[in-house]
Amino acid sequence: MSSRVGLVAFCLIVFAVGCADKNGNWNNPHAPEKEHIRVMYSVFTSPPKNLDPVRTYNLDEATLIDQIYEPPLEYHYLKRPYQLKPLTLRDLPNLEYLSEDGTIVSEKSEYVTYSRYTFQLKKGIQYQPHPAFAMNDRDEPYYSFSNESSARKFRILADFKHVGTKELVANDYIYQIKRMADPRLQFPIWDIVSSYLVGMKDLRREIVQARRDNPTGWLNLDTFPLAGVREIDRYTFQITLHKKYPQFKYWLAFHFFAPIPMELDRFYNLPGQQEKNISLAFHPVGTGAFMMTKHDASSEIVLEKNPNFSLTFYPSEGEIEDESLGLLADAGKPLPFLDKIIFRLEKEAIPIWTKFLQGYYDRSGVGSDSFDQAVDVSVDGIALSDEMRGKGISLNMTVEPATYYMGFNMLDPVVGGYSEQQRKLRNAIAIAYDEQEQISIFRNGRGEIAMSPLPPGIFGYQEGERGLDEEVFDWVDGKPVRKPIEIAARLLSEAGYPGGRDRVTGKPLVLNLDTTTSTGDAARQSWLIKQFNKLGIQLNIRATDYNRFQDKMESAKAQIFFWGWFADYPDPENFLFLLYGPNSRTGSGGSGVNSTNYNNQRFNELFDDMKVMPNSPERLLIIEKMLKIYRKDRPWASSFHPRTFTLNNAWVKNFKPHGMSQVTLKYQDIDIKLRENRRGDWNKPVVWPLWLFLTFCFLIVFPGYLAYRRRQTQKII
């Protein structure tokens, strides 16, 4: 028995030493990498559902595919305000305005019927290696089979051993635009694009009919015409829109407009492929800096440097402070710097945080569980804790281009409507509801009170007293201060509810907050009730599941609710359309983004003028008029812009948060030597318990061994 104990102890020590990495760390969760390979380690918390660029509208999925695909334009990595630049184009698209008969007219002409964009591609851009591009000796696709039996030996994408590449051409972008019209692909912004891009609705009707005639076969979209898109030559194409739509340029930097060549669509629609998940939904293919070499949603997703990536360089210009922050140290160097990015599945926040502190993840957010350990909050503001500074960790605080708000259903007979009394009721609630307290208590200060729907970085956002919401705040000693509760009580009385009771019936005013069951814990609900109790209003929280909540929103049966919007593109239209009457959630037939069903005719008229204007003093004046109407009507009780905290270990280089674009990893770098050294310092193995255990085992085993030897000696005698 004692000999067995010793053997177990010895095996444990050998196993532990054998599991150590080259720095002697026994707890490294990552497999060893080749020398000098620059690997970034990150996480994903839920498996991606679809990586087809025409389908996904999910931020986590965009983090993956935006490193792989290249739409025509991209945002400048360093410059703010956000600035578009060519990506696969030689220059920004050439924009012309046309009359009904096709004559070119001035932008300000009353005869503008169409907007025409002309795109000229750079030559020589190549796709990543992929079997879809493999060709045989006859210059035909290497893989081409007509039935499932021929496809049986190809169980996964790696079974296709032959790969090739092809040059990016104009038709690849045209093919992707045609894919938007296929109803099977459920293009998320179909309503917007089809209302502007000439011929899209006609193309959809043709595709629907073709699928009726051939329900199971592949449709080669090259055989379908699209009136609003024209190929000029191999590297040049045009897109024609109805009227003016200035925001279209921003969509050109979105992965929806990334190229998908016909060859790729054909390959993924070979018999039997979709059933084996050999499809764009799982295996994206592009011309970007990285390509996906592993997709295991239960474990890890790996991106590696695309060997065919076109020569691209790190920017040499940015904001004033970028040089002092070291963000221009790599100016002019070829991209990307990283060789590989490994995304590991982590479902819980605590393991992510622990591994980040050990140096095994390069970056981390700051959640509520780790906030006190990461950050110090004082009268001087928010700063890193001593522990984080001691590790050389840096903190980036960014106000997101997003707005979260508490909204009123403007169709509701109590909190909705446009009478003076109804406006005063909503303004009274807006004053009583302390958004700053909510941010401090439940978001650890990670937010900025909104004075309008427009977040920082969006044209029309104004700081200081000029941007003040004067219906709710006063400007005192250089900062906004919420109006006294006595003002709110007076407004409530003038609205017909003195002390929170109906002046006519004497009954208490009871309002309903409709929400999902995931709104928060009892402390948050108690806090919400307290906000309304300041005015004597009784708040009834009606929690339900997500589907039921959505039904209430669709049928205008919700009364008060929480909602939010994250920018698709950096234009005020993308936020002010949340209050545009024709976009109402209920009964409008529009986009439905106007969750409050707010409908002010004058606001709508100003919006129609503002949305097609370039940024200018004239546009700003119109926006100010719109905000004045919004504040008077008060369809939103209160709102805030979320603030994101990001921690980077000292070896992460060139990190700058970008609220609009996920195309950021090709600019970032890792100092692998510094990471190795820090990991070694932070993860020194504590071996004395093992040696103590081994000594203990030896003290048990050795006397037994001596007794055994004595017995053997006695037998011999």
Side-chain angles (χ1 to χ4, degrees), residues 637-649:
S638 187
S639 54
F640 71 94
H641 310 303
R643 181 182 289 150
T644 299
F645 291 4
T646 305
L647 299 173
N648 284 284
N649 272 309

Side-chain angles (χ1 to χ4, degrees), residues 640-678:
F640 71 94
H641 310 303
R643 181 182 289 150
T644 299
F645 291 4
T646 305
L647 299 173
N648 284 284
N649 272 309
W651 51 81
V652 178
K653 301 169 61 180
N654 300 336
F655 174 78
K656 184 173 183 177
H658 198 295
M660 287 296 151
S661 176
Q662 301 304 308
V663 190
T664 58
L665 296 181
K666 68 181 180 181
Y667 299 104
Q668 296 176 37
D669 197 4
I670 295 291
D671 185 335
I672 54 176
K673 189 63 178 177
L674 178 60
R675 181 168 63 187
E676 289 175 6
N677 293 338
R678 294 290 173 89

Side-chain angles (χ1 to χ4, degrees), residues 137 207 247 418 432 559 584 600 625 645 657:
D137 295 339
I207 291 175
Q247 292 75 28
Y418 301 88
Q559 191 172 50
S584 293
N600 181 296
K625 291 179 181 178
F645 291 4

Side-chain angles (χ1 to χ4, degrees), residues 384-394 649-650 678 682:
L384 276 171
S385 66
D386 292 339
E387 179 185 354
M388 298 301 107
R389 285 199 301 272
K391 285 178 167 285
I393 292 171
S394 61
N649 272 309
R678 294 290 173 89
W682 298 346

Side-chain angles (χ1 to χ4, degrees), residues 121-135:
L121 296 178
K122 298 174 185 175
K123 296 180 181 180
I125 298 175
Q126 299 288 321
Y127 284 90
Q128 68 182 67
H130 193 272
F133 308 131
M135 308 296 285

